[in-house]
Amino acid sequence: MDGDRRGYGGGSDRVPRRQGPPPPEPQPGKYLPPHLRNQGSGTCAATHTPPPQRQGVGPSSETGLTRRLGDPPPTPTQRDSRFPSDPGNSSVELLKTSEWQPLSNLPKNTNDRILPVKRPEGGTLAGRSVNLLVNHFLVRFNPRVTIFHYNLDIKQVISRGKRPAQRSKNKADLRSIRDKLFRDDPARFPLNRTAYDGEKNLYSAVSLPTGQFRVELSANEDLTTRTYVVSIKLMNELKLSKLEEYLSGKVPYVPRDILQGMDLVMKENPSKYRVSIDRNFYPTSFKVEDDFRNGIAAYRGFQSSLRPTSQGLALCLDSSVLAFRKPLAVIEYLKENIPEFDGVYLDLNSRRKVTNTLKGLAVRVTHRLTKQKFTIAGLTAKTTRDLWFDFVDPKGKDPTVKVSLVEYFREKYGKDIAYQGMPCLILGRNNRTNHVPMEFCILVEGQRYRKELLDDVSQEILKKKSLAWPPERRNTISEMMQAHDGPCGDVAQNFGLRIDKNMTFVEGRVIGPPDLKLGAPDGTVDIVRVENEKRQWNLAENSVVVGKRIERWALIDFSASDALKLRTKDFIKNLTNRSGSLGIRMEEPLICRFAGMREFSSINRLEELLKSVVQDANRKSWNKLQIIICVMAEKHHGYKYLKWVSETRIGVVTQCCLSIHANRGDDKFFGNLCLKINAKLGGSNVELTQKLPHFEDEDHVMFIGADVNHPVSKKSTTPSIAAVVSTINWPAVNRYAARVCPQDHRTERILEFGPMCRDLINTYFQFNKVKPKKIVIFRDGVSEGQFDMVLNEELSDLKNAVYDDNYKPAITLVVAQKRHQTRLFLENFGEGGPTGNVPPGTVVDTKIVHPFEFDFYLCSHYGRIGTSKAVRYCVLWDQNSFTSDQLQELIYNLCFTFARSTRPVSLVPPVYYADLVAYRGRIFQEVAKEFQSRTLPSNSTTRFDQSFYKLHPDLQNIMFFV
């Protein structure tokens, strides 16, 4: 159970999406040729504005609308001071097209900044070759083309005496206004030669008029026409010749503003026909085989991005699957989603279910023509037949009268209400009271359904669809590239873009596995060759290299009062027998304590329990307790209390497991449990036989992993968690020490990176009596836009903290990227074994990699589930002079040293461990949050307390997190 937050060993390799600030622009370094400095184009991000007032849909004139579901959040606008501010609504005139020079994309002070290293020459091209197809599609463009970037500001014109207009946040509304302007004057505003993000940014293949333009638009048949003013301002002229210069290596900095514009052009076609959710595009309909039959269905979408590669500009497209509510009539949706709903009568329990199911959903109405969307605020207290309201004559001639809602819909819209025994929907929120019968409302398409709300069967089906096998995934991607609502539309062609709809062919290489060192039954060391297909090794006939003797341990059975009670004697026997067969001598427990799961509900009770166990053990032994094994009846939120108490207050390692697994007596389960225990106590499970590539035994190399875990909470007082781990032994490099530190909310830069690394280097010195001569850093979780921050801030922080006159280790800095869309497919699936995945050790460093920087893709694991996903490794700094082959083989070999696995993992272990430590820090943060909520007022802005995250001194230098 410990550490099993996510599995990198399988083909899915899904890592929770991070949240954080937008990446900063990369900064050019001192290596720019003098004639290229201070050139480039400026950028302008997008903003959006508040929503305008909307009209009602029922007998009342007031209602509320929500923004379109799934719209991504806005980004701040950077305004150029050379342009005048918006003149407002008072003067609506045509202005001449602005003529000006493009802004520079380079910072003013670039002399002291450094750029990522270039790809090294040569290499031995080690490994057998394998033919691959990659989901990169070559994009050809005309370098003589200029794309015009405009800022759109749309405001509603309000008559005098009414409240001021607010800018709409609804992308659909803004698109409708833009489309109306362009369709009214297609000669000056060619719609199919522009791309719009639905907020502020408009890109055009031709020059457009600038200024202010009046647009009149009616939302439906019974609303007065609304008037808007559309202000168009030229922001930049993006010359594609600069992109060609970058791709050919003539300039070292990426023209990010050009790529952003071209990326939006590629997204214009799917934006018209599909629903956008988190940068993914999903269709408005689903396949029959994807229907879950409960008002929910799986929808197959895609995500795409433009990437500069060695073969040129490429579109990378990958498929994705999400669950959505089907766009059914509300009555039909309820019949599918709530089995007991019959459309005739709602008792109290059924009413509660219907309210919880519908509240917050977006609907369209069918009793009149309108494109408006409305949000369900709840149900009326009375049934439809009992609803009456005051009808006011709009002309003021007739007196106000009481009108039945049933009669109103019959006379006003010619609609007879069939479900009069049902309550009406309240559309809107706050004090708005728009009552519309359920049968006249249809759910808006594209409303996401959280997978955790699905039943177990549907969750399993959705998982299988998400983790598609390679042949299925490849076919799906190819179909989406050919689809009419895919990225290849008329707009892209009108910008001079031509997309090859065939996947990129590339020749990969398969690195051979290293030989491993395991223990033999007679106490000696065996050299083991791993299995060829899965690269797996078997511990049935071997033991760990160094088994830590476990003489002082305690068992706490938290399932003692549960139906799934642990069979204690069998558990102890199975555990000690399996540990003995693995070369880990384990004595009988000093203490056996029996408790209930209720102990997990209180931090204080848990702390008292653990302290009493430690005290009892101290009375029986002259030395401190080594480990406490905790058997739980079920997973419990109090798990975080246990870890926090044991690792920050008590100072004794814990190992948790579930009684249901322990009682089965499965040999594999106990083997995995023993591997974790041995690693936590300082043993060595597996080692490499040969020395690591590029290094000698006397080099003393330290490997560092670094990661930042960002909170889901939007509160600025909730910290991000920075974690840094490092090896403390050489040459086995399989024992790690960890440091965890809270820092400013959603800050990606590790603020204490230098001091944390200095502390770990001193720890290395304590164990080895010498400081490492060489350091290899693996940084996780940063995008390309943040490479400059890692290079020029974190690396500089490390050097300032570590370097002195007598100590300057050679440093290599590598970023490991998991969140990308690149997928590798075997050209012939028969070469991949039963799963059809690329074999472990597959590496690609041509065609799909960066045009000139040092990066490569490595798939180090065996994909058991779904389609394997390679990790992209980007080398930013290298004072150790690696060749491509040396670094690839080094990383692949390290993947065999992960402590709790008997096969290579998908991610280099320093980063994997840093992920686990950062997650452990998040657990500490949740405990700290609960403490603060008890002692501080709810509106307090007190910063995080560092003491909650400080590890007990006895645990700082062992692998407590495995």
Side-chain angles (χ1 to χ4, degrees), residues 288-439:
V288 175
E289 61 269 24
D290 295 334
D291 190 352
F292 291 152
R293 310 295 179 187
N294 56 354
I296 314 298
Y299 285 67
R300 301 172 185 265
F302 69 85
Q303 181 176 355
S304 65
S305 61
L306 287 176
R307 298 200 60 82
T309 67
S310 292
Q311 68 169 342
L313 187 65
L315 176 73
C316 179
L317 183 145
D318 192 21
S319 62
S320 62
V321 180
L322 272 183
F324 287 87
R325 292 174 174 86
K326 294 187 290 188
L328 299 171
V330 169
I331 292 289
E332 296 304 317
Y333 176 76
L334 291 174
K335 288 180 178 179
E336 279 200 26
N337 195 262
I338 305 176
E340 60 268 28
F341 178 82
D342 58 6
V344 177
Y345 172 73
L346 289 183
D347 57 24
L348 186 61
N349 186 49
S350 298
R351 170 181 281 272
R352 187 180 299 110
K353 286 185 178 181
V354 169
T355 302
N356 293 338
T357 299
L358 295 181
K359 192 171 183 179
L361 299 186
V363 295
R364 300 181 193 274
V365 296
T366 61
H367 61 281
R368 62 187 181 88
L369 296 176
T370 178
K371 295 181 180 180
Q372 289 177 299
K373 302 173 186 177
F374 304 91
T375 302
I376 299 175
L379 304 181
T380 58
K382 297 180 179 180
T383 60
T384 302
R385 67 167 61 93
D386 296 326
L387 286 174
W388 294 70
F389 66 96
D390 292 333
F391 180 77
V392 181
D393 181 11
K395 298 181 180 180
K397 295 181 179 179
D398 298 326
T400 299
V401 294
K402 286 282 186 180
V403 176
S404 163
L405 186 136
V406 174
E407 290 298 324
Y408 176 83
F409 270 82
R410 181 181 295 120
E411 295 181 10
K412 175 70 174 178
Y413 303 110
K415 301 288 185 180
D416 287 322
I417 301 174
Y419 295 89
Q420 297 186 17
M422 289 287 104
C424 281
L425 298 180
I426 302 175
L427 301 186
R429 50 189 174 183
N430 299 330
N431 295 322
R432 302 182 179 96
T433 55
N434 296 278
H435 302 161
V436 179
M438 292 184 184
E439 61 203 86

Side-chain angles (χ1 to χ4, degrees), residues 820-860:
H820 58 79
Q821 290 83 51
T822 300
R823 297 280 185 161
L824 310 179
F825 300 98
L826 288 169
E827 185 181 41
N828 180 7
F829 288 115
E831 299 177 0
T835 68
N837 272 309
V838 297
T842 299
V843 65
V844 176
D845 55 8
T846 60
K847 293 183 76 172
I848 64 170
V849 295
H850 194 276
F852 48 82
E853 292 177 2
F854 188 3
D855 68 329
F856 55 87
Y857 293 89
L858 172 62
C859 183
S860 54

